[in-house]
Amino acid sequence: MTLTFPHINPVAIQLGPVAIHWYGLTYLAAFALFMLLALRRLHHQPYASVQGPGAWSRRDVEDMLFLGVLGVVIGGRLGYCLFYKPVYYATHPLEIFFVWQGGMSFHGGMLGVIASQWWFARSRHKPFWQVMDFVAPCVPLGLAAGRIGNFINGELWGRAADAALPWAMIFPQSGTMVPRHPSQIYQFLLEGLLLFVLLWLYARKERREAQVSAVFLIGYGVLRFVAEYFREPDAHLQWLQQASGLSMGQWLCVPMILAGILLWTWAAARRPQPLAARP
């Protein structure tokens, strides 16, 4: 028997004219998870051993989170407008600011976070890659929370699936009654839980600077690339899938994977920086 997407009210709490959406709550959950994991990360090496003015503290985590939130929101919105609907937003520039209409891009959000953490590293006189290696393992569970939000909203549904697939699901929002892959759950499991476990375990042992960041780029890129085979491309980007055989999400993952490989190789070839030399 084929499953049908359960109608879930996107509004979690209604307080008079104020509506609190589940999707917003998943963002809050993502930020809370980052805070929790980052505080644990302070006890990992090399962060626990850095002494003096460059020592890591809870204040650093709070400031990184604040800047990261700005990077996610601004970068995610601009990335969506640039990567997914450049022509539309070029002719409707004011709608770039209409964030309540939806439209966020992970890849844009990632670039926004990189920019925000570059600013943090520069202002705190910390090595940039040390900062990025700190952040990387704390991110995947937040991505998992976001995919739960996508599922609750009934958006980003999957491609058509064999009706015999036990977890195939009908998404009435798609405009058809065709059984589909619940791709939001696939991404929750792959880019969220699996990537978190792999990256957290990898980062528990001290690595050369930039290698943890490189593994994040490779891991997310590969897992998202795989998940995209089960996710229905956006209607206005179907032509790209038909012309190239790859979705926009997959094309955006290719440079991520290549950058991760090059970064890991570069980091492995560098001479390790003595701990005492770190700020």
Side-chain angles (χ1 to χ4, degrees), residues 147-169:
R147 293 310 178 192
I148 293 297
N150 293 144
F151 182 78
I152 291 174
N153 283 349
E155 60 191 7
L156 307 183
W157 50 78
R159 305 186 193 202
D162 189 333
L165 188 70
W167 53 85
M169 182 173 290

Side-chain angles (χ1 to χ4, degrees), residues 193-240:
L193 297 188
L194 178 59
L195 182 59
F196 166 71
V197 171
L198 295 176
L199 199 58
W200 191 262
L201 292 176
Y202 181 79
R204 285 298 302 271
K205 181 179 179 181
E206 185 175 0
R207 308 287 178 177
R208 295 192 178 187
E209 284 187 5
Q211 285 191 322
V212 174
S213 300
V215 170
F216 173 84
L217 291 173
I218 297 169
Y220 181 89
V222 170
L223 294 174
R224 173 69 181 269
F225 193 95
V226 171
E228 284 283 328
Y229 279 116
F230 301 96
R231 176 173 161 178
E232 183 76 10
D234 292 344
H236 63 283
L237 292 174
Q238 292 278 0
W239 64 270
L240 181 61

Side-chain angles (χ1 to χ4, degrees), residues 2 157-171 176-183 186 229-230 232:
T2 303
W157 50 78
R159 305 186 193 202
D162 189 333
L165 188 70
W167 53 85
M169 182 173 290
I170 295 172
F171 289 86
T176 71
M177 299 302 286
V178 175
R180 297 179 178 275
H181 290 281
S183 55
Y186 295 176
Y229 279 116
F230 301 96
E232 183 76 10

Side-chain angles (χ1 to χ4, degrees), residues 1-278:
M1 181 177 177
T2 303
L3 302 173
T4 300
F5 175 78
H7 176 71
I8 303 173
N9 189 338
V11 177
I13 303 172
Q14 185 78 45
L15 301 173
V18 178
I20 301 176
H21 291 250
W22 285 110
Y23 194 66
L25 292 178
T26 63
Y27 264 71
L28 290 178
F31 300 144
L33 286 167
F34 177 90
M35 188 71 185
L36 177 65
L37 294 172
L39 291 177
R40 293 292 304 164
R41 192 94 171 98
L42 289 174
H43 301 287
H44 294 176
Q45 296 299 339
Y47 311 101
S49 299
V50 179
Q51 303 297 323
W56 286 77
S57 67
R58 182 188 180 96
R59 175 66 182 274
D60 290 324
V61 172
E62 293 170 349
D63 290 347
M64 292 167 73
L65 176 58
F66 174 75
L67 292 171
V69 170
L70 293 179
V72 166
V73 175
I74 297 174
R77 182 58 177 171
L78 293 178
Y80 177 80
C81 298
L82 179 63
F83 299 147
Y84 290 90
K85 290 187 174 182
V87 176
Y88 178 84
Y89 286 104
T91 55
H92 302 79
L94 291 179
E95 292 192 25
I96 293 175
F97 302 98
F98 295 0
V99 294
W100 57 88
Q101 293 181 350
M104 297 287 282
S105 161
F106 162 79
H107 296 89
M110 181 187 70
L111 293 175
V113 168
I114 290 173
S116 72
Q117 299 312 303
W118 174 84
W119 174 260
F120 172 83
R122 181 180 176 85
S123 64
R124 295 300 176 85
H125 306 290
K126 294 181 181 295
F128 172 71
W129 289 117
Q130 189 183 92
V131 171
M132 295 307 298
D133 287 349
F134 183 95
V135 170
C138 305
V139 170
L141 284 188
L143 300 179
R147 293 310 178 192
I148 293 297
N150 293 144
F151 182 78
I152 291 174
N153 283 349
E155 60 191 7
L156 307 183
W157 50 78
R159 305 186 193 202
D162 189 333
L165 188 70
W167 53 85
M169 182 173 290
I170 295 172
F171 289 86
Q173 302 92 327
S174 68
T176 71
M177 299 302 286
V178 175
R180 297 179 178 275
H181 290 281
S183 55
Q184 312 97 322
I185 303 303
Y186 295 176
Q187 292 186 262
F188 164 80
L189 294 172
L190 293 175
E191 306 158 17
L193 297 188
L194 178 59
L195 182 59
F196 166 71
V197 171
L198 295 176
L199 199 58
W200 191 262
L201 292 176
Y202 181 79
R204 285 298 302 271
K205 181 179 179 181
E206 185 175 0
R207 308 287 178 177
R208 295 192 178 187
E209 284 187 5
Q211 285 191 322
V212 174
S213 300
V215 170
F216 173 84
L217 291 173
I218 297 169
Y220 181 89
V222 170
L223 294 174
R224 173 69 181 269
F225 193 95
V226 171
E228 284 283 328
Y229 279 116
F230 301 96
R231 176 173 161 178
E232 183 76 10
D234 292 344
H236 63 283
L237 292 174
Q238 292 278 0
W239 64 270
L240 181 61
Q241 171 72 35
Q242 295 167 359
S244 66
L246 298 178
S247 68
M248 175 60 79
Q250 288 174 315
W251 279 114
L252 292 173
C253 284
V254 170
M256 273 189 75
I257 297 169
L258 295 177
I261 294 172
L262 291 174
L263 182 60
W264 196 94
T265 304
W266 170 78
R270 291 180 70 199
R271 179 177 298 177
Q273 185 180 5
L275 186 62
R278 294 170 180 156

